[in-house]
Amino acid sequence: MASTAGKVIKCKAAVAWEAGKPLVIEEVEVAPPQAMEVRIKILYTALCHTDVFFWEAKGQNPVFPRIFGHEAGGIVESVGEGVTEFAPGDHVLPVFTGECKECTHCKSEESNMCDLLRINTDRGVMIGDGQSRFSINGKPIFHFVGTSTFSEYTVIHVGCVVKINPEAPLDKVCILSCGISTGLGAILNVAKPPKGSTVAIFGLGAVGLAAAEGARLAGASRIIGVDLNPNRFELARKFGCTEFVNPKDHTKPVQEVLAEMTNGGVDRSVECTGNINAMIQAFECVHDGWGVAVLVGVPNKDAEFKTHPMNFLNERTLKGTFFGNYKPRTDLPSVVEKYMTGVSSYLVS
């Protein structure tokens, strides 16, 4: 058992005191893990746009002071009562959504939306007792999506922790705990493009690049990247994109441009921007009869999706996905192994 087990740990954390104000490096106290919780030493953490979105707090409930961060890798420091599958020293990825393995969603082969542990951006405390494990001079500091990885130590519910191969480089695979898995799974688990098909990727950020890699792995013959920023095209080509469309370069709607390029529409599309117009374009650009569009991005809370019902009646399919339909504890270890064996080396290199 680690020498710090059962004790409060003092460490550094980046604390957001107010919405949109610079984070401040503070000394925080991190309480020991309670029942079904794990305390983790965070070795590497990445920055996801979702952190920025909730730090700005422009379209959602502000919960401050708070410790953000949810893409990370670390090592288990100690475990709480009832935790049997983790031990100090285990290499782990914290995940913003969880898998209790007991609810109807977890028992379903079709869903990864755990009733107990699905993402809750408003909750700033632990599920078990409704308390925070972070404090400064006795004042609670709130959690973020159950992970709060912008801290040298954090406490996480056991259902949101994934044990991985200790040989995996945590500085690389930490980004599999959010964006990369989301994009990869959107293709491999949801869109499922047949070999030789044509795929359009809307948005070529990290999630879109992962989706492009997924399309390449699936054997798509054409992978069309759609983005307003042409500076992203060169990198996206390394991830599998074969051609590009910048909507700014065209006077007609981009869905019409894509339909002309592909003899009626693409076989599959994945939207990775969160922009409602891109979502509509991604749906309307797929081929009638068999086309499938998958929405990944998180829209503004007031956004509305509008399209003509005939687009559905003409046998186009619209799907959404959450975390690429991966069940964190069940599926993520194998995604790490894909990286380790070189199948998706571009993703985290």
PDB file of all heavy atoms in Angstrom, residues 244-274:
ATOM      1  N   PHE A 244     -10.071  17.322 -50.478  1.00  0.00           N
ATOM      2  CA  PHE A 244     -10.576  18.297 -49.524  1.00  0.00           C
ATOM      3  C   PHE A 244     -11.561  19.260 -50.169  1.00  0.00           C
ATOM      4  O   PHE A 244     -11.479  19.537 -51.364  1.00  0.00           O
ATOM      5  CB  PHE A 244      -9.416  19.100 -48.926  1.00  0.00           C
ATOM      6  CG  PHE A 244      -8.402  18.225 -48.235  1.00  0.00           C
ATOM      7  CD1 PHE A 244      -7.280  17.758 -48.916  1.00  0.00           C
ATOM      8  CD2 PHE A 244      -8.588  17.841 -46.923  1.00  0.00           C
ATOM      9  CE1 PHE A 244      -6.363  16.935 -48.304  1.00  0.00           C
ATOM     10  CE2 PHE A 244      -7.686  17.013 -46.294  1.00  0.00           C
ATOM     11  CZ  PHE A 244      -6.576  16.558 -46.981  1.00  0.00           C
ATOM     12  N   VAL A 245     -12.464  19.752 -49.335  1.00  0.00           N
ATOM     13  CA  VAL A 245     -13.410  20.783 -49.752  1.00  0.00           C
ATOM     14  C   VAL A 245     -13.399  21.879 -48.694  1.00  0.00           C
ATOM     15  O   VAL A 245     -13.592  21.603 -47.504  1.00  0.00           O
ATOM     16  CB  VAL A 245     -14.841  20.220 -49.895  1.00  0.00           C
ATOM     17  CG1 VAL A 245     -15.832  21.355 -50.150  1.00  0.00           C
ATOM     18  CG2 VAL A 245     -14.910  19.190 -51.006  1.00  0.00           C
ATOM     19  N   ASN A 246     -13.164  23.107 -49.141  1.00  0.00           N
ATOM     20  CA  ASN A 246     -13.294  24.273 -48.278  1.00  0.00           C
ATOM     21  C   ASN A 246     -14.583  24.981 -48.698  1.00  0.00           C
ATOM     22  O   ASN A 246     -14.665  25.511 -49.806  1.00  0.00           O
ATOM     23  CB  ASN A 246     -12.097  25.196 -48.439  1.00  0.00           C
ATOM     24  CG  ASN A 246     -12.163  26.393 -47.497  1.00  0.00           C
ATOM     25  OD1 ASN A 246     -13.213  26.726 -46.950  1.00  0.00           O
ATOM     26  ND2 ASN A 246     -11.029  27.067 -47.300  1.00  0.00           N
ATOM     27  N   PRO A 247     -15.616  24.978 -47.844  1.00  0.00           N
ATOM     28  CA  PRO A 247     -16.887  25.598 -48.232  1.00  0.00           C
ATOM     29  C   PRO A 247     -16.746  27.043 -48.698  1.00  0.00           C
ATOM     30  O   PRO A 247     -17.567  27.518 -49.497  1.00  0.00           O
ATOM     31  CB  PRO A 247     -17.711  25.518 -46.934  1.00  0.00           C
ATOM     32  CG  PRO A 247     -17.165  24.318 -46.218  1.00  0.00           C
ATOM     33  CD  PRO A 247     -15.683  24.340 -46.509  1.00  0.00           C
ATOM     34  N   LYS A 248     -15.708  27.739 -48.233  1.00  0.00           N
ATOM     35  CA  LYS A 248     -15.497  29.128 -48.645  1.00  0.00           C
ATOM     36  C   LYS A 248     -15.182  29.246 -50.131  1.00  0.00           C
ATOM     37  O   LYS A 248     -15.355  30.315 -50.730  1.00  0.00           O
ATOM     38  CB  LYS A 248     -14.346  29.746 -47.846  1.00  0.00           C
ATOM     39  CG  LYS A 248     -14.644  29.994 -46.377  1.00  0.00           C
ATOM     40  CD  LYS A 248     -13.421  30.620 -45.721  1.00  0.00           C
ATOM     41  CE  LYS A 248     -13.642  30.882 -44.238  1.00  0.00           C
ATOM     42  NZ  LYS A 248     -12.408  31.431 -43.603  1.00  0.00           N
ATOM     43  N   ASP A 249     -14.703  28.155 -50.716  1.00  0.00           N
ATOM     44  CA  ASP A 249     -14.303  28.198 -52.120  1.00  0.00           C
ATOM     45  C   ASP A 249     -15.481  28.008 -53.069  1.00  0.00           C
ATOM     46  O   ASP A 249     -15.296  28.004 -54.295  1.00  0.00           O
ATOM     47  CB  ASP A 249     -13.263  27.100 -52.411  1.00  0.00           C
ATOM     48  CG  ASP A 249     -11.959  27.334 -51.665  1.00  0.00           C
ATOM     49  OD1 ASP A 249     -11.710  28.488 -51.263  1.00  0.00           O
ATOM     50  OD2 ASP A 249     -11.196  26.362 -51.491  1.00  0.00           O
ATOM     51  N   HIS A 250     -16.679  27.843 -52.552  1.00  0.00           N
ATOM     52  CA  HIS A 250     -17.831  27.515 -53.390  1.00  0.00           C
ATOM     53  C   HIS A 250     -18.997  28.449 -53.104  1.00  0.00           C
ATOM     54  O   HIS A 250     -19.198  28.889 -51.973  1.00  0.00           O
ATOM     55  CB  HIS A 250     -18.266  26.064 -53.155  1.00  0.00           C
ATOM     56  CG  HIS A 250     -17.181  25.068 -53.425  1.00  0.00           C
ATOM     57  ND1 HIS A 250     -16.934  24.548 -54.667  1.00  0.00           N
ATOM     58  CD2 HIS A 250     -16.256  24.510 -52.589  1.00  0.00           C
ATOM     59  CE1 HIS A 250     -15.912  23.701 -54.598  1.00  0.00           C
ATOM     60  NE2 HIS A 250     -15.494  23.668 -53.350  1.00  0.00           N
ATOM     61  N   THR A 251     -19.775  28.730 -54.147  1.00  0.00           N
ATOM     62  CA  THR A 251     -20.948  29.588 -53.992  1.00  0.00           C
ATOM     63  C   THR A 251     -22.187  28.777 -53.651  1.00  0.00           C
ATOM     64  O   THR A 251     -23.142  29.303 -53.096  1.00  0.00           O
ATOM     65  CB  THR A 251     -21.205  30.374 -55.290  1.00  0.00           C
ATOM     66  OG1 THR A 251     -21.311  29.455 -56.389  1.00  0.00           O
ATOM     67  CG2 THR A 251     -20.063  31.350 -55.558  1.00  0.00           C
ATOM     68  N   LYS A 252     -22.184  27.484 -53.957  1.00  0.00           N
ATOM     69  CA  LYS A 252     -23.339  26.638 -53.661  1.00  0.00           C
ATOM     70  C   LYS A 252     -23.126  25.908 -52.339  1.00  0.00           C
ATOM     71  O   LYS A 252     -21.982  25.788 -51.860  1.00  0.00           O
ATOM     72  CB  LYS A 252     -23.577  25.635 -54.791  1.00  0.00           C
ATOM     73  CG  LYS A 252     -22.429  24.661 -55.033  1.00  0.00           C
ATOM     74  CD  LYS A 252     -22.764  23.688 -56.173  1.00  0.00           C
ATOM     75  CE  LYS A 252     -22.931  24.404 -57.485  1.00  0.00           C
ATOM     76  NZ  LYS A 252     -23.118  23.468 -58.620  1.00  0.00           N
ATOM     77  N   PRO A 253     -24.189  25.428 -51.728  1.00  0.00           N
ATOM     78  CA  PRO A 253     -24.058  24.698 -50.463  1.00  0.00           C
ATOM     79  C   PRO A 253     -23.103  23.519 -50.596  1.00  0.00           C
ATOM     80  O   PRO A 253     -23.069  22.852 -51.633  1.00  0.00           O
ATOM     81  CB  PRO A 253     -25.484  24.231 -50.169  1.00  0.00           C
ATOM     82  CG  PRO A 253     -26.361  25.201 -50.893  1.00  0.00           C
ATOM     83  CD  PRO A 253     -25.597  25.565 -52.137  1.00  0.00           C
ATOM     84  N   VAL A 254     -22.341  23.264 -49.542  1.00  0.00           N
ATOM     85  CA  VAL A 254     -21.296  22.242 -49.620  1.00  0.00           C
ATOM     86  C   VAL A 254     -21.893  20.852 -49.843  1.00  0.00           C
ATOM     87  O   VAL A 254     -21.256  19.996 -50.473  1.00  0.00           O
ATOM     88  CB  VAL A 254     -20.416  22.283 -48.353  1.00  0.00           C
ATOM     89  CG1 VAL A 254     -21.168  21.763 -47.124  1.00  0.00           C
ATOM     90  CG2 VAL A 254     -19.140  21.486 -48.551  1.00  0.00           C
ATOM     91  N   GLN A 255     -23.127  20.618 -49.383  1.00  0.00           N
ATOM     92  CA  GLN A 255     -23.723  19.306 -49.633  1.00  0.00           C
ATOM     93  C   GLN A 255     -23.950  19.077 -51.125  1.00  0.00           C
ATOM     94  O   GLN A 255     -23.841  17.944 -51.614  1.00  0.00           O
ATOM     95  CB  GLN A 255     -25.021  19.105 -48.836  1.00  0.00           C
ATOM     96  CG  GLN A 255     -26.098  20.163 -48.991  1.00  0.00           C
ATOM     97  CD  GLN A 255     -26.003  21.238 -47.936  1.00  0.00           C
ATOM     98  OE1 GLN A 255     -24.950  21.853 -47.796  1.00  0.00           O
ATOM     99  NE2 GLN A 255     -27.107  21.479 -47.217  1.00  0.00           N
ATOM    100  N   GLU A 256     -24.237  20.152 -51.854  1.00  0.00           N
ATOM    101  CA  GLU A 256     -24.387  20.028 -53.305  1.00  0.00           C
ATOM    102  C   GLU A 256     -23.034  19.790 -53.963  1.00  0.00           C
ATOM    103  O   GLU A 256     -22.930  19.006 -54.931  1.00  0.00           O
ATOM    104  CB  GLU A 256     -25.055  21.281 -53.878  1.00  0.00           C
ATOM    105  CG  GLU A 256     -26.501  21.474 -53.433  1.00  0.00           C
ATOM    106  CD  GLU A 256     -27.124  22.713 -54.061  1.00  0.00           C
ATOM    107  OE1 GLU A 256     -26.572  23.211 -55.076  1.00  0.00           O
ATOM    108  OE2 GLU A 256     -28.152  23.183 -53.531  1.00  0.00           O
ATOM    109  N   VAL A 257     -22.006  20.451 -53.466  1.00  0.00           N
ATOM    110  CA  VAL A 257     -20.658  20.240 -53.992  1.00  0.00           C
ATOM    111  C   VAL A 257     -20.254  18.776 -53.829  1.00  0.00           C
ATOM    112  O   VAL A 257     -19.740  18.138 -54.751  1.00  0.00           O
ATOM    113  CB  VAL A 257     -19.651  21.164 -53.271  1.00  0.00           C
ATOM    114  CG1 VAL A 257     -18.220  20.856 -53.718  1.00  0.00           C
ATOM    115  CG2 VAL A 257     -19.992  22.629 -53.523  1.00  0.00           C
ATOM    116  N   LEU A 258     -20.501  18.237 -52.645  1.00  0.00           N
ATOM    117  CA  LEU A 258     -20.135  16.842 -52.380  1.00  0.00           C
ATOM    118  C   LEU A 258     -20.955  15.880 -53.231  1.00  0.00           C
ATOM    119  O   LEU A 258     -20.436  14.867 -53.708  1.00  0.00           O
ATOM    120  CB  LEU A 258     -20.320  16.536 -50.890  1.00  0.00           C
ATOM    121  CG  LEU A 258     -19.303  17.198 -49.966  1.00  0.00           C
ATOM    122  CD1 LEU A 258     -19.776  17.146 -48.513  1.00  0.00           C
ATOM    123  CD2 LEU A 258     -17.933  16.531 -50.085  1.00  0.00           C
ATOM    124  N   ALA A 259     -22.224  16.174 -53.417  1.00  0.00           N
ATOM    125  CA  ALA A 259     -23.063  15.308 -54.250  1.00  0.00           C
ATOM    126  C   ALA A 259     -22.550  15.263 -55.683  1.00  0.00           C
ATOM    127  O   ALA A 259     -22.525  14.192 -56.317  1.00  0.00           O
ATOM    128  CB  ALA A 259     -24.512  15.797 -54.210  1.00  0.00           C
ATOM    129  N   GLU A 260     -22.100  16.410 -56.188  1.00  0.00           N
ATOM    130  CA  GLU A 260     -21.556  16.449 -57.550  1.00  0.00           C
ATOM    131  C   GLU A 260     -20.240  15.691 -57.641  1.00  0.00           C
ATOM    132  O   GLU A 260     -19.946  15.042 -58.651  1.00  0.00           O
ATOM    133  CB  GLU A 260     -21.367  17.903 -57.991  1.00  0.00           C
ATOM    134  CG  GLU A 260     -22.674  18.647 -58.219  1.00  0.00           C
ATOM    135  CD  GLU A 260     -22.460  20.101 -58.588  1.00  0.00           C
ATOM    136  OE1 GLU A 260     -21.283  20.514 -58.735  1.00  0.00           O
ATOM    137  OE2 GLU A 260     -23.460  20.832 -58.735  1.00  0.00           O
ATOM    138  N   MET A 261     -19.446  15.772 -56.592  1.00  0.00           N
ATOM    139  CA  MET A 261     -18.140  15.089 -56.589  1.00  0.00           C
ATOM    140  C   MET A 261     -18.280  13.573 -56.532  1.00  0.00           C
ATOM    141  O   MET A 261     -17.375  12.845 -56.943  1.00  0.00           O
ATOM    142  CB  MET A 261     -17.312  15.538 -55.371  1.00  0.00           C
ATOM    143  CG  MET A 261     -16.821  16.954 -55.412  1.00  0.00           C
ATOM    144  SD  MET A 261     -16.049  17.423 -53.832  1.00  0.00           S
ATOM    145  CE  MET A 261     -14.705  16.247 -53.703  1.00  0.00           C
ATOM    146  N   THR A 262     -19.414  13.091 -56.022  1.00  0.00           N
ATOM    147  CA  THR A 262     -19.526  11.668 -55.677  1.00  0.00           C
ATOM    148  C   THR A 262     -20.702  10.974 -56.354  1.00  0.00           C
ATOM    149  O   THR A 262     -21.158   9.932 -55.880  1.00  0.00           O
ATOM    150  CB  THR A 262     -19.656  11.507 -54.148  1.00  0.00           C
ATOM    151  OG1 THR A 262     -20.793  12.263 -53.700  1.00  0.00           O
ATOM    152  CG2 THR A 262     -18.413  12.010 -53.433  1.00  0.00           C
ATOM    153  N   ASN A 263     -21.183  11.564 -57.429  1.00  0.00           N
ATOM    154  CA  ASN A 263     -22.268  10.937 -58.188  1.00  0.00           C
ATOM    155  C   ASN A 263     -23.505  10.702 -57.319  1.00  0.00           C
ATOM    156  O   ASN A 263     -24.062   9.601 -57.272  1.00  0.00           O
ATOM    157  CB  ASN A 263     -21.803   9.615 -58.809  1.00  0.00           C
ATOM    158  CG  ASN A 263     -22.788   9.088 -59.847  1.00  0.00           C
ATOM    159  OD1 ASN A 263     -23.516   9.871 -60.479  1.00  0.00           O
ATOM    160  ND2 ASN A 263     -22.845   7.775 -60.014  1.00  0.00           N
ATOM    161  N   GLY A 264     -23.904  11.745 -56.607  1.00  0.00           N
ATOM    162  CA  GLY A 264     -25.148  11.669 -55.860  1.00  0.00           C
ATOM    163  C   GLY A 264     -25.014  11.748 -54.362  1.00  0.00           C
ATOM    164  O   GLY A 264     -26.023  11.865 -53.658  1.00  0.00           O
ATOM    165  N   GLY A 265     -23.818  11.668 -53.846  1.00  0.00           N
ATOM    166  CA  GLY A 265     -23.642  11.767 -52.401  1.00  0.00           C
ATOM    167  C   GLY A 265     -22.642  10.758 -51.881  1.00  0.00           C
ATOM    168  O   GLY A 265     -22.377   9.732 -52.506  1.00  0.00           O
ATOM    169  N   VAL A 266     -22.098  11.044 -50.706  1.00  0.00           N
ATOM    170  CA  VAL A 266     -21.135  10.127 -50.101  1.00  0.00           C
ATOM    171  C   VAL A 266     -21.878   8.968 -49.435  1.00  0.00           C
ATOM    172  O   VAL A 266     -23.061   9.060 -49.098  1.00  0.00           O
ATOM    173  CB  VAL A 266     -20.246  10.849 -49.062  1.00  0.00           C
ATOM    174  CG1 VAL A 266     -19.429  11.951 -49.733  1.00  0.00           C
ATOM    175  CG2 VAL A 266     -21.084  11.423 -47.923  1.00  0.00           C
ATOM    176  N   ASP A 267     -21.175   7.871 -49.240  1.00  0.00           N
ATOM    177  CA  ASP A 267     -21.774   6.717 -48.567  1.00  0.00           C
ATOM    178  C   ASP A 267     -21.915   6.941 -47.072  1.00  0.00           C
ATOM    179  O   ASP A 267     -22.877   6.491 -46.447  1.00  0.00           O
ATOM    180  CB  ASP A 267     -20.923   5.462 -48.818  1.00  0.00           C
ATOM    181  CG  ASP A 267     -20.762   5.172 -50.299  1.00  0.00           C
ATOM    182  OD1 ASP A 267     -21.781   5.090 -50.990  1.00  0.00           O
ATOM    183  OD2 ASP A 267     -19.601   5.062 -50.755  1.00  0.00           O
ATOM    184  N   ARG A 268     -20.939   7.613 -46.474  1.00  0.00           N
ATOM    185  CA  ARG A 268     -20.943   7.889 -45.047  1.00  0.00           C
ATOM    186  C   ARG A 268     -20.391   9.294 -44.807  1.00  0.00           C
ATOM    187  O   ARG A 268     -19.495   9.737 -45.515  1.00  0.00           O
ATOM    188  CB  ARG A 268     -20.062   6.884 -44.267  1.00  0.00           C
ATOM    189  CG  ARG A 268     -20.470   5.426 -44.417  1.00  0.00           C
ATOM    190  CD  ARG A 268     -21.758   5.118 -43.688  1.00  0.00           C
ATOM    191  NE  ARG A 268     -22.050   3.701 -43.680  1.00  0.00           N
ATOM    192  CZ  ARG A 268     -22.788   3.078 -44.606  1.00  0.00           C
ATOM    193  NH1 ARG A 268     -23.264   3.764 -45.640  1.00  0.00           N
ATOM    194  NH2 ARG A 268     -23.023   1.787 -44.499  1.00  0.00           N
ATOM    195  N   SER A 269     -20.906   9.952 -43.785  1.00  0.00           N
ATOM    196  CA  SER A 269     -20.326  11.231 -43.363  1.00  0.00           C
ATOM    197  C   SER A 269     -20.269  11.265 -41.843  1.00  0.00           C
ATOM    198  O   SER A 269     -21.091  10.646 -41.164  1.00  0.00           O
ATOM    199  CB  SER A 269     -21.140  12.422 -43.887  1.00  0.00           C
ATOM    200  OG  SER A 269     -22.380  12.518 -43.214  1.00  0.00           O
ATOM    201  N   VAL A 270     -19.274  11.988 -41.335  1.00  0.00           N
ATOM    202  CA  VAL A 270     -19.128  12.162 -39.889  1.00  0.00           C
ATOM    203  C   VAL A 270     -18.898  13.645 -39.624  1.00  0.00           C
ATOM    204  O   VAL A 270     -18.009  14.260 -40.221  1.00  0.00           O
ATOM    205  CB  VAL A 270     -17.954  11.329 -39.330  1.00  0.00           C
ATOM    206  CG1 VAL A 270     -17.794  11.588 -37.840  1.00  0.00           C
ATOM    207  CG2 VAL A 270     -18.182   9.849 -39.575  1.00  0.00           C
ATOM    208  N   GLU A 271     -19.708  14.209 -38.735  1.00  0.00           N
ATOM    209  CA  GLU A 271     -19.602  15.629 -38.406  1.00  0.00           C
ATOM    210  C   GLU A 271     -18.892  15.783 -37.076  1.00  0.00           C
ATOM    211  O   GLU A 271     -19.329  15.229 -36.070  1.00  0.00           O
ATOM    212  CB  GLU A 271     -21.010  16.237 -38.356  1.00  0.00           C
ATOM    213  CG  GLU A 271     -21.032  17.725 -38.056  1.00  0.00           C
ATOM    214  CD  GLU A 271     -20.789  18.033 -36.583  1.00  0.00           C
ATOM    215  OE1 GLU A 271     -21.229  17.262 -35.707  1.00  0.00           O
ATOM    216  OE2 GLU A 271     -20.122  19.061 -36.320  1.00  0.00           O
ATOM    217  N   CYS A 272     -17.781  16.539 -37.072  1.00  0.00           N
ATOM    218  CA  CYS A 272     -16.925  16.643 -35.878  1.00  0.00           C
ATOM    219  C   CYS A 272     -16.684  18.093 -35.470  1.00  0.00           C
ATOM    220  O   CYS A 272     -15.604  18.437 -34.986  1.00  0.00           O
ATOM    221  CB  CYS A 272     -15.581  15.957 -36.133  1.00  0.00           C
ATOM    222  SG  CYS A 272     -15.692  14.250 -36.690  1.00  0.00           S
ATOM    223  N   THR A 273     -17.683  18.963 -35.668  1.00  0.00           N
ATOM    224  CA  THR A 273     -17.464  20.381 -35.375  1.00  0.00           C
ATOM    225  C   THR A 273     -18.365  20.921 -34.264  1.00  0.00           C
ATOM    226  O   THR A 273     -17.981  21.839 -33.546  1.00  0.00           O
ATOM    227  CB  THR A 273     -17.708  21.255 -36.623  1.00  0.00           C
ATOM    228  OG1 THR A 273     -19.113  21.263 -36.921  1.00  0.00           O
ATOM    229  CG2 THR A 273     -16.931  20.729 -37.824  1.00  0.00           C
ATOM    230  N   GLY A 274     -19.563  20.393 -34.132  1.00  0.00           N
ATOM    231  CA  GLY A 274     -20.528  20.962 -33.207  1.00  0.00           C
ATOM    232  C   GLY A 274     -21.313  22.113 -33.803  1.00  0.00           C
ATOM    233  O   GLY A 274     -22.225  22.645 -33.177  1.00  0.00           O
TER     234      GLY A 274
END
